Amino acid sequence: MIRTAITSFLFLSAFFSCSQKKPSEEQKQTVLFVCTHGAARSPIAAAYFNKLAKQDGLNYEAIFRGTEPDEVLTDGTVSGLSADGFDVNQWKPQLVSKDDMRAADKIVTFDCSLPDFEVSVQAEQWNGTPSISKDYNIARNAILAEVNKLVIKLKKDTN
């Protein structure tokens, strides 16, 4: 009987210690980047945000969506991000959903209007970003400058 009680206690202790999340395993907060087609600006922003957030140890993860998504990323986005060292082979634009918007801790739009869903987060607008099709590097640098500012702000807010 005592052996059964001890075994049960050890089992339950092990179970609960494994099921509790450690601080480093906490659910990441989500940044939602949205552009019209989900095929250029928002994927670039998400790629660089995720890279910088990881480097800085931020507990954030970015996703990208479109309000009228294309079937695939633009050729300029694929070639540019690939040249920058990102593997985008499996990336595909998706329609922004109510669930995406409700789950987001931060929403950033690029020259588009979001669907009229009730959300608790006010969207920040990064309008006027240069066109990817005209010059990837100029557009990427403008997006990266904004992403850097956002990462710095989120870092300050979490400390």
Side-chain angles (χ1 to χ4, degrees), residues 45-67:
Y48 276 98
F49 180 89
N50 287 332
K51 178 180 180 178
L52 295 174
K54 184 175 182 179
Q55 287 174 355
D56 288 351
L58 281 177
N59 196 32
Y60 281 85
E61 181 175 60
I63 61 172
F64 67 93
R65 298 289 187 263
T67 56

Side-chain angles (χ1 to χ4, degrees), residues 14-40:
F15 174 78
F16 284 112
S17 68
C18 289
S19 65
Q20 292 177 347
K21 290 184 177 180
K22 296 176 185 167
S24 62
E25 296 173 344
E26 289 178 15
Q27 174 122 7
K28 290 189 182 284
Q29 294 187 58
T30 302
V31 176
L32 172 62
F33 289 104
V34 184
C35 61
T36 304
H37 302 290

Side-chain angles (χ1 to χ4, degrees), residues 1-158:
M1 174 111 156
I2 292 176
R3 187 185 318 182
T4 304
I6 291 172
T7 304
S8 297
F9 174 76
L10 292 174
F11 173 78
L12 290 173
S13 295
F15 174 78
F16 284 112
S17 68
C18 289
S19 65
Q20 292 177 347
K21 290 184 177 180
K22 296 176 185 167
S24 62
E25 296 173 344
E26 289 178 15
Q27 174 122 7
K28 290 189 182 284
Q29 294 187 58
T30 302
V31 176
L32 172 62
F33 289 104
V34 184
C35 61
T36 304
H37 302 290
R41 294 175 180 142
S42 61
I44 292 169
Y48 276 98
F49 180 89
N50 287 332
K51 178 180 180 178
L52 295 174
K54 184 175 182 179
Q55 287 174 355
D56 288 351
L58 281 177
N59 196 32
Y60 281 85
E61 181 175 60
I63 61 172
F64 67 93
R65 298 289 187 263
T67 56
E68 302 168 24
D70 284 351
E71 291 294 316
V72 296
L73 300 181
T74 66
D75 290 341
T77 302
V78 171
S79 62
L81 283 174
S82 295
D84 291 345
F86 294 97
D87 180 4
V88 297
N89 290 326
Q90 303 300 317
W91 293 16
K92 184 177 187 309
Q94 297 178 38
L95 179 65
V96 66
S97 71
K98 182 188 303 187
D99 289 341
D100 292 330
M101 291 175 58
R102 287 190 175 159
D105 298 287
K106 179 80 176 161
I107 301 172
V108 177
T109 63
F110 292 88
D111 296 307
C112 66
S113 297
L114 293 170
D116 193 21
F117 300 133
E118 279 190 41
V119 293
S120 59
V121 178
Q122 178 75 26
E124 184 175 328
Q125 298 177 345
W126 293 357
N127 296 336
T129 305
S131 171
I132 305 303
S133 62
K134 290 183 181 171
D135 190 316
Y136 171 82
N137 292 324
I138 290 173
R140 185 234 14 245
N141 291 345
I143 293 167
L144 183 53
E146 293 299 321
V147 167
N148 273 313
K149 289 181 207 172
L150 177 58
V151 168
I152 290 167
K153 180 184 181 312
L154 292 174
K155 237 173 115 170
K156 285 181 185 175
D157 292 348
T158 57

